[in-house]
Amino acid sequence: MLPWFVRRTRLPLLSLRCVDCRSESATTGEGRFRVNANGNLLDVWLLVRCVSCDRTSKLTVHERAPVRSLDPAELHGYHVNDPDVVASRLLDPLLARRNRFSLDWTGAWRLDAPSTWLDEAWPVQVEVVFEDPVPVRPERLIAHGLGLSRNEVLRRVKCDVPLRRSTRTGFAFIVMAGD
């Protein structure tokens, strides 16, 4: 079984309308949090910038949360703008729903696949592992990885997941010999 890995190359853009210029893309840039204390309650925001006009906006991470309810390591990550905490918050579907944005993964991922697999005996079994929840259609991913047309992928590939529907989780497929 050959392993393929789908890896994030950068944080995805946010599909979020800017209130100034009406652009629909924003970025977290380096990733910064703003933490505001009010007595024993904390507000935590993730700061994002419009890609067109550079206006800064805030995404609510925690609102009026008691200090003791937060994990100390997570709180420290907010204070030091830890990139891993930024990525985990940005990829959190609850945060996206609460702040009404979606992620644009265009150009934010790559496929790491071995290039010398043609010496294998046919059929070839491949396992795809996603390190981040990148939404991608299996037929496009397989066509890119094998250098085949999408029609040929549909003809030669056997897979348990629907090839024309986006997936964010790992899957395996078998490539049958060509004509």
Side-chain angles (χ1 to χ4, degrees):
M1 179 171 303
L2 295 173
W4 283 11
F5 296 96
V6 177
R7 293 190 167 103
R8 175 172 43 95
T9 56
R10 63 171 171 79
L11 289 175
L13 293 177
L14 287 78
S15 295
L16 180 70
R17 187 174 297 276
C18 178
V19 297
D20 279 352
C21 71
R22 308 306 283 171
S23 170
E24 295 198 20
S25 291
T27 179
T28 58
E30 304 298 307
R32 295 205 169 275
F33 289 103
R34 176 157 184 233
V35 181
N36 186 28
N38 184 3
N40 288 334
L41 301 176
L42 285 180
D43 291 320
V44 179
W45 298 284
L46 178 60
L47 302 178
V48 297
R49 280 190 339 264
C50 174
V51 295
S52 297
C53 69
D54 217 27
R55 181 184 194 279
T56 301
S57 300
K58 300 182 291 188
L59 302 177
T60 303
V61 178
H62 295 288
E63 189 171 35
R64 300 286 182 220
V67 175
R68 293 180 185 249
S69 70
L70 298 177
D71 177 35
E74 182 180 16
L75 185 58
H76 177 71
Y78 293 145
H79 284 293
V80 298
N81 297 312
D82 183 10
D84 293 333
V85 176
V86 171
S88 70
R89 289 298 148 249
L90 189 62
L91 300 177
D92 183 6
L94 295 176
L95 180 74
R97 188 175 311 125
R98 185 181 325 125
N99 289 282
R100 295 185 183 102
F101 71 86
S102 60
L103 298 176
D104 178 7
W105 286 94
T106 306
W109 61 275
R110 74 173 190 267
L111 173 65
D112 291 337
S115 59
T116 60
W117 66 279
L118 296 175
D119 298 335
E120 299 281 329
W122 295 99
V124 177
Q125 186 170 3
V126 178
E127 180 182 15
V128 180
V129 177
F130 287 78
E131 293 184 354
D132 286 301
V134 178
V136 65
R137 287 174 52 175
E139 73 170 333
R140 289 184 179 171
L141 182 75
I142 296 168
H144 175 74
L146 298 177
L148 301 174
S149 70
R150 292 197 331 238
N151 282 335
E152 191 161 350
V153 166
L154 294 174
R155 190 173 55 78
R156 291 182 54 190
V157 171
K158 307 297 180 212
C159 187
D160 290 338
V161 299
L163 292 176
R164 293 189 173 186
R165 242 185 242 149
S166 288
T167 184
R168 298 170 185 257
T169 60
F171 62 93
F173 64 92
I174 298 174
V175 183
M176 307 309 271
D179 294 336

